[in-house]
PDB file of all heavy atoms in Angstrom:
ATOM      1  N   CYS A  33      11.266   2.710   9.765  1.00 95.00           N
ATOM      2  CA  CYS A  33      10.985   3.630   8.690  1.00 95.00           C
ATOM      3  C   CYS A  33       9.484   3.835   8.464  1.00 95.00           C
ATOM      4  O   CYS A  33       8.706   2.814   8.526  1.00 95.00           O
ATOM      5  CB  CYS A  33      11.644   3.147   7.469  1.00 95.00           C
ATOM      6  SG  CYS A  33      11.336   4.206   6.059  1.00 95.00           S
ATOM      7  N   ASN A  34       9.103   5.039   8.133  1.00 92.00           N
ATOM      8  CA  ASN A  34       7.710   5.390   8.053  1.00 92.00           C
ATOM      9  C   ASN A  34       7.225   5.562   6.539  1.00 92.00           C
ATOM     10  O   ASN A  34       6.214   6.160   6.207  1.00 92.00           O
ATOM     11  CB  ASN A  34       7.418   6.675   8.775  1.00 92.00           C
ATOM     12  CG  ASN A  34       5.968   6.903   9.099  1.00 92.00           C
ATOM     13  OD1 ASN A  34       5.447   8.026   8.920  1.00 92.00           O
ATOM     14  ND2 ASN A  34       5.253   5.944   9.497  1.00 92.00           N
ATOM     15  N   TYR A  35       8.058   5.011   5.620  1.00 93.00           N
ATOM     16  CA  TYR A  35       7.681   5.061   4.251  1.00 93.00           C
ATOM     17  C   TYR A  35       7.037   3.733   3.811  1.00 93.00           C
ATOM     18  O   TYR A  35       5.840   3.556   3.837  1.00 93.00           O
ATOM     19  CB  TYR A  35       8.796   5.471   3.351  1.00 93.00           C
ATOM     20  CG  TYR A  35       9.164   6.911   3.459  1.00 93.00           C
ATOM     21  CD1 TYR A  35      10.402   7.412   3.971  1.00 93.00           C
ATOM     22  CD2 TYR A  35       8.365   7.916   2.899  1.00 93.00           C
ATOM     23  CE1 TYR A  35      10.783   8.685   3.993  1.00 93.00           C
ATOM     24  CE2 TYR A  35       8.640   9.245   2.941  1.00 93.00           C
ATOM     25  CZ  TYR A  35       9.833   9.719   3.458  1.00 93.00           C
ATOM     26  OH  TYR A  35      10.210  11.065   3.537  1.00 93.00           O
ATOM     27  N   CYS A  36       7.913   2.846   3.261  1.00 93.00           N
ATOM     28  CA  CYS A  36       7.300   1.658   2.634  1.00 93.00           C
ATOM     29  C   CYS A  36       7.173   0.507   3.574  1.00 93.00           C
ATOM     30  O   CYS A  36       7.632   0.547   4.677  1.00 93.00           O
ATOM     31  CB  CYS A  36       8.088   1.302   1.225  1.00 93.00           C
ATOM     32  SG  CYS A  36       9.441   0.174   1.600  1.00 93.00           S
ATOM     33  N   SER A  37       6.647  -0.592   3.041  1.00 94.00           N
ATOM     34  CA  SER A  37       6.280  -1.721   3.906  1.00 94.00           C
ATOM     35  C   SER A  37       7.479  -2.655   4.124  1.00 94.00           C
ATOM     36  O   SER A  37       7.351  -3.742   4.725  1.00 94.00           O
ATOM     37  CB  SER A  37       5.174  -2.503   3.235  1.00 94.00           C
ATOM     38  OG  SER A  37       5.738  -3.235   2.098  1.00 94.00           O
ATOM     39  N   THR A  38       8.668  -2.375   3.627  1.00 96.00           N
ATOM     40  CA  THR A  38       9.827  -3.232   3.886  1.00 96.00           C
ATOM     41  C   THR A  38      10.047  -3.356   5.356  1.00 96.00           C
ATOM     42  O   THR A  38      10.303  -4.421   5.890  1.00 96.00           O
ATOM     43  CB  THR A  38      11.037  -2.625   3.223  1.00 96.00           C
ATOM     44  OG1 THR A  38      10.754  -2.509   1.868  1.00 96.00           O
ATOM     45  CG2 THR A  38      12.205  -3.617   3.386  1.00 96.00           C
ATOM     46  N   GLY A  39       9.830  -2.199   6.083  1.00 96.00           N
ATOM     47  CA  GLY A  39       9.984  -2.270   7.547  1.00 96.00           C
ATOM     48  C   GLY A  39      11.410  -2.151   8.017  1.00 96.00           C
ATOM     49  O   GLY A  39      11.791  -2.805   9.058  1.00 96.00           O
ATOM     50  N   CYS A  40      12.251  -1.271   7.397  1.00 96.00           N
ATOM     51  CA  CYS A  40      13.619  -1.161   7.807  1.00 96.00           C
ATOM     52  C   CYS A  40      13.733  -0.553   9.254  1.00 96.00           C
ATOM     53  O   CYS A  40      13.000   0.471   9.514  1.00 96.00           O
ATOM     54  CB  CYS A  40      14.363  -0.272   6.832  1.00 96.00           C
ATOM     55  SG  CYS A  40      14.493  -0.982   5.214  1.00 96.00           S
ATOM     56  N   ILE A  42      15.497   1.750  11.776  1.00 95.00           N
ATOM     57  CA  ILE A  42      16.305   3.050  11.578  1.00 95.00           C
ATOM     58  C   ILE A  42      16.662   3.572  13.034  1.00 95.00           C
ATOM     59  O   ILE A  42      15.884   3.583  13.897  1.00 95.00           O
ATOM     60  CB  ILE A  42      15.529   4.089  10.969  1.00 95.00           C
ATOM     61  CG1 ILE A  42      15.160   3.760   9.486  1.00 95.00           C
ATOM     62  CG2 ILE A  42      16.381   5.388  10.856  1.00 95.00           C
ATOM     63  CD1 ILE A  42      14.664   4.929   8.671  1.00 95.00           C
ATOM     64  N   LYS A  67      21.109  -1.438   6.267  1.00 93.00           N
ATOM     65  CA  LYS A  67      20.965  -0.710   5.004  1.00 93.00           C
ATOM     66  C   LYS A  67      19.731   0.088   5.024  1.00 93.00           C
ATOM     67  O   LYS A  67      18.776  -0.259   5.679  1.00 93.00           O
ATOM     68  CB  LYS A  67      20.973  -1.651   3.849  1.00 93.00           C
ATOM     69  CG  LYS A  67      22.326  -2.386   3.537  1.00 93.00           C
ATOM     70  CD  LYS A  67      22.357  -2.953   2.195  1.00 93.00           C
ATOM     71  CE  LYS A  67      23.723  -3.327   1.767  1.00 93.00           C
ATOM     72  NZ  LYS A  67      24.601  -3.859   2.847  1.00 93.00           N
ATOM     73  N   LEU A  68      19.752   1.176   4.295  1.00 93.00           N
ATOM     74  CA  LEU A  68      18.476   2.026   4.013  1.00 93.00           C
ATOM     75  C   LEU A  68      18.500   2.461   2.627  1.00 93.00           C
ATOM     76  O   LEU A  68      19.571   2.657   1.986  1.00 93.00           O
ATOM     77  CB  LEU A  68      18.449   3.236   4.996  1.00 93.00           C
ATOM     78  CG  LEU A  68      18.470   2.992   6.440  1.00 93.00           C
ATOM     79  CD1 LEU A  68      18.528   4.364   7.176  1.00 93.00           C
ATOM     80  CD2 LEU A  68      17.105   2.343   6.869  1.00 93.00           C
ATOM     81  N   CYS A  69      17.384   2.801   2.111  1.00 92.00           N
ATOM     82  CA  CYS A  69      17.315   3.380   0.776  1.00 92.00           C
ATOM     83  C   CYS A  69      17.381   4.934   0.894  1.00 92.00           C
ATOM     84  O   CYS A  69      17.406   5.421   2.059  1.00 92.00           O
ATOM     85  CB  CYS A  69      16.078   2.939  -0.055  1.00 92.00           C
ATOM     86  SG  CYS A  69      14.571   3.818   0.403  1.00 92.00           S
ATOM     87  N   ILE A  70      17.326   5.650  -0.221  1.00 89.00           N
ATOM     88  CA  ILE A  70      17.454   7.112  -0.052  1.00 89.00           C
ATOM     89  C   ILE A  70      16.460   7.694   0.803  1.00 89.00           C
ATOM     90  O   ILE A  70      16.726   8.681   1.486  1.00 89.00           O
ATOM     91  CB  ILE A  70      17.500   7.726  -1.511  1.00 89.00           C
ATOM     92  CG1 ILE A  70      17.805   9.265  -1.383  1.00 89.00           C
ATOM     93  CG2 ILE A  70      16.254   7.443  -2.259  1.00 89.00           C
ATOM     94  CD1 ILE A  70      18.055   9.853  -2.721  1.00 89.00           C
ATOM     95  N   LYS A  71      15.214   7.249   0.801  1.00 91.00           N
ATOM     96  CA  LYS A  71      14.190   7.861   1.600  1.00 91.00           C
ATOM     97  C   LYS A  71      14.486   7.674   3.122  1.00 91.00           C
ATOM     98  O   LYS A  71      14.361   8.642   3.834  1.00 91.00           O
ATOM     99  CB  LYS A  71      12.795   7.259   1.238  1.00 91.00           C
ATOM    100  CG  LYS A  71      12.360   7.523  -0.220  1.00 91.00           C
ATOM    101  CD  LYS A  71      10.982   7.059  -0.473  1.00 91.00           C
ATOM    102  CE  LYS A  71      10.836   5.529  -0.601  1.00 91.00           C
ATOM    103  NZ  LYS A  71      11.446   4.965  -1.808  1.00 91.00           N
ATOM    104  N   GLY A  72      14.866   6.477   3.493  1.00 91.00           N
ATOM    105  CA  GLY A  72      15.239   6.237   4.822  1.00 91.00           C
ATOM    106  C   GLY A  72      16.426   7.071   5.325  1.00 91.00           C
ATOM    107  O   GLY A  72      16.449   7.585   6.424  1.00 91.00           O
ATOM    108  N   LEU A  73      17.423   7.112   4.446  1.00 89.00           N
ATOM    109  CA  LEU A  73      18.666   7.877   4.797  1.00 89.00           C
ATOM    110  C   LEU A  73      18.390   9.309   5.099  1.00 89.00           C
ATOM    111  O   LEU A  73      19.117   9.958   5.929  1.00 89.00           O
ATOM    112  CB  LEU A  73      19.630   7.751   3.631  1.00 89.00           C
ATOM    113  CG  LEU A  73      20.458   6.439   3.507  1.00 89.00           C
ATOM    114  CD1 LEU A  73      21.208   6.385   2.260  1.00 89.00           C
ATOM    115  CD2 LEU A  73      21.362   6.276   4.718  1.00 89.00           C
ATOM    116  N   GLU A  75      15.327  10.486   6.179  1.00 88.00           N
ATOM    117  CA  GLU A  75      14.065  10.684   6.777  1.00 88.00           C
ATOM    118  C   GLU A  75      14.063  11.684   7.897  1.00 88.00           C
ATOM    119  O   GLU A  75      13.070  12.267   8.183  1.00 88.00           O
ATOM    120  CB  GLU A  75      13.611   9.284   7.260  1.00 88.00           C
ATOM    121  CG  GLU A  75      12.141   9.137   7.480  1.00 88.00           C
ATOM    122  CD  GLU A  75      11.618   7.732   7.420  1.00 88.00           C
ATOM    123  OE1 GLU A  75      12.314   6.850   7.100  1.00 88.00           O
ATOM    124  OE2 GLU A  75      10.421   7.565   7.794  1.00 88.00           O
ATOM    125  N   GLN A 202      10.633   0.082  -5.852  1.00 92.00           N
ATOM    126  CA  GLN A 202       9.486   0.170  -4.820  1.00 92.00           C
ATOM    127  C   GLN A 202       9.955  -0.218  -3.414  1.00 92.00           C
ATOM    128  O   GLN A 202       9.523   0.344  -2.459  1.00 92.00           O
ATOM    129  CB  GLN A 202       8.379  -0.724  -5.292  1.00 92.00           C
ATOM    130  CG  GLN A 202       7.733  -0.410  -6.587  1.00 92.00           C
ATOM    131  CD  GLN A 202       6.950  -1.532  -7.168  1.00 92.00           C
ATOM    132  OE1 GLN A 202       7.051  -2.690  -6.791  1.00 92.00           O
ATOM    133  NE2 GLN A 202       6.245  -1.185  -8.207  1.00 92.00           N
ATOM    134  N   HIS A 203      10.795  -1.265  -3.318  1.00 95.00           N
ATOM    135  CA  HIS A 203      11.161  -1.801  -2.085  1.00 95.00           C
ATOM    136  C   HIS A 203      12.629  -2.145  -2.175  1.00 95.00           C
ATOM    137  O   HIS A 203      13.007  -3.355  -2.186  1.00 95.00           O
ATOM    138  CB  HIS A 203      10.322  -3.073  -1.747  1.00 95.00           C
ATOM    139  CG  HIS A 203       8.817  -2.805  -1.669  1.00 95.00           C
ATOM    140  ND1 HIS A 203       8.042  -2.868  -2.801  1.00 95.00           N
ATOM    141  CD2 HIS A 203       8.014  -2.516  -0.632  1.00 95.00           C
ATOM    142  CE1 HIS A 203       6.822  -2.641  -2.418  1.00 95.00           C
ATOM    143  NE2 HIS A 203       6.745  -2.404  -1.119  1.00 95.00           N
ATOM    144  N   PRO A 204      13.442  -1.125  -2.177  1.00 95.00           N
ATOM    145  CA  PRO A 204      14.927  -1.389  -2.492  1.00 95.00           C
ATOM    146  C   PRO A 204      15.608  -2.385  -1.627  1.00 95.00           C
ATOM    147  O   PRO A 204      16.446  -3.153  -1.948  1.00 95.00           O
ATOM    148  CB  PRO A 204      15.575  -0.005  -2.426  1.00 95.00           C
ATOM    149  CG  PRO A 204      14.445   0.947  -2.540  1.00 95.00           C
ATOM    150  CD  PRO A 204      13.192   0.315  -1.996  1.00 95.00           C
ATOM    151  N   ILE A 205      15.184  -2.404  -0.369  1.00 96.00           N
ATOM    152  CA  ILE A 205      15.930  -3.204   0.683  1.00 96.00           C
ATOM    153  C   ILE A 205      15.456  -4.671   0.503  1.00 96.00           C
ATOM    154  O   ILE A 205      16.232  -5.605   0.689  1.00 96.00           O
ATOM    155  CB  ILE A 205      15.783  -2.644   2.089  1.00 96.00           C
ATOM    156  CG1 ILE A 205      16.297  -1.219   2.165  1.00 96.00           C
ATOM    157  CG2 ILE A 205      16.532  -3.563   3.064  1.00 96.00           C
ATOM    158  CD1 ILE A 205      17.767  -1.062   1.709  1.00 96.00           C
ATOM    159  N   ILE A 206      14.169  -4.886   0.155  1.00 97.00           N
ATOM    160  CA  ILE A 206      13.753  -6.221  -0.083  1.00 97.00           C
ATOM    161  C   ILE A 206      14.554  -6.749  -1.358  1.00 97.00           C
ATOM    162  O   ILE A 206      14.961  -7.862  -1.370  1.00 97.00           O
ATOM    163  CB  ILE A 206      12.236  -6.343  -0.348  1.00 97.00           C
ATOM    164  CG1 ILE A 206      11.455  -5.831   0.790  1.00 97.00           C
ATOM    165  CG2 ILE A 206      11.836  -7.736  -0.706  1.00 97.00           C
ATOM    166  CD1 ILE A 206       9.868  -5.934   0.703  1.00 97.00           C
TER     167      ILE A 206
HETATM  168 FE1  SF4 B 814      12.220   2.937   4.323  1.00 79.00          FE
HETATM  169 FE2  SF4 B 814      11.244   1.207   2.514  1.00 79.00          FE
HETATM  170 FE3  SF4 B 814      13.533   2.541   2.060  1.00 79.00          FE
HETATM  171 FE4  SF4 B 814      13.480   0.584   3.838  1.00 79.00          FE
HETATM  172  S1  SF4 B 814      13.229   0.315   1.744  1.00 79.00           S
HETATM  173  S2  SF4 B 814      14.488   2.679   4.109  1.00 79.00           S
HETATM  174  S3  SF4 B 814      11.389   0.903   4.637  1.00 79.00           S
HETATM  175  S4  SF4 B 814      11.516   3.393   2.206  1.00 79.00           S
END
Side-chain angles (χ1 to χ4, degrees):
C33 179
N34 196 223
Y35 284 114
C36 88
S37 71
T38 303
C40 296
I42 297 191
K67 294 197 166 35
L68 296 174
C69 79
I70 184 172
K71 295 188 286 293
L73 281 170
E75 202 157 350
Q202 297 159 348
H203 301 87
I205 302 302
I206 300 181

